[in-house]
Amino acid sequence: MPPNARILVVDDHEDTLYALESALAPLGHLLGRATSGDEALKQLLRGNVGLLLLDVRPGTDGLDVVRSMRRLEQTRLIPVVLLTGFTRDPQLGAAAYALGVADLVTQPVDPWALRTKIRHLYATHQRRLALEREVRALRARLGERTGAPGHPAPPHPHAHVPPGGPAGAHTGELERDRT
């Protein structure tokens, strides 16, 4: 996922979408919008979504959208913030957090608090993706060095430990050294 991944805002009310987009605009990220859970899933599958801000009831159940996301490799780790117009419902909270939702926010939303949460979650997700890319690149380089992926790298030429381990590493010799 490129570093300029969109924040996808999902709600079935046009005025709420506009308000949320206005609240998030100062972050400077690309924003996408969807008015239903099905439309959101289609956009998620097209890629380039770095965070999902999802109404619990965007025409269909928002938790169903999250369940679908968590089953798919390409969307499994995208952070989700759920919006709800309900007061804090313990059952909803338990279900949402069990699905790995990053946060549950009640409406009306405090724009400053929402921006702060979204900024943090988006940046954390982007850092994690960058680290994964770096690990893949290092593994590829290691595979090139050994000639085949999955094989251990040869010992470093300046290593002072012989391939079989340190001298005297036989159990009997270690026992003598301890006494």
Side-chain angles (χ1 to χ4, degrees):
M1 174 182 318
N4 62 344
R6 292 176 299 131
I7 296 171
L8 182 58
V9 182
V10 185
D11 197 290
D12 55 343
H13 297 288
E14 220 28 66
D15 56 337
T16 304
L17 279 172
Y18 178 76
L20 292 169
E21 289 169 336
S22 296
L24 297 175
L27 294 176
H29 296 297
L30 296 173
L31 299 174
R33 63 167 39 200
T35 56
S36 72
D38 291 337
E39 185 182 343
L41 284 171
K42 288 176 187 174
Q43 289 192 43
L44 286 162
L45 292 173
R46 285 187 208 119
N48 202 27
V49 174
L51 187 136
L52 180 65
L53 181 58
L54 173 67
D55 183 26
V56 171
R57 307 256 183 257
T60 60
D61 187 2
L63 292 178
D64 288 338
V65 172
V66 178
R67 282 184 199 95
S68 296
M69 288 175 63
R70 298 307 186 226
R71 285 191 292 261
L72 302 170
E73 184 65 32
Q74 76 185 76
T75 59
R76 177 174 292 144
L77 299 175
I78 294 173
V80 176
V81 174
L82 278 182
L83 295 167
T84 178
F86 307 112
T87 57
R88 279 289 209 204
D89 177 0
Q91 290 177 329
L92 174 62
Y97 292 125
L99 290 170
V101 167
D103 203 357
L104 185 62
V105 177
T106 55
Q107 294 175 329
V109 173
D110 173 0
W112 181 86
L114 182 65
R115 276 192 300 274
T116 301
K117 288 176 188 197
I118 298 298
R119 179 184 304 118
H120 171 72
L121 290 168
Y122 184 91
T124 301
H125 184 61
Q126 292 303 308
R127 282 192 300 271
R128 191 186 125 282
L129 292 174
L131 284 172
E132 285 179 358
R133 285 190 297 272
E134 188 174 338
V135 166
R136 281 193 301 274
L138 289 171
R139 284 184 178 154
R141 285 180 51 203
L142 184 61
E144 290 170 6
R145 215 171 123 209
T146 62
H151 289 92
H156 190 276
H158 301 295
H160 298 289
V161 179
H170 294 64
T171 308
E173 293 175 26
L174 285 175
E175 289 299 317
R176 273 187 300 227
D177 290 342
R178 287 188 204 153
T179 57

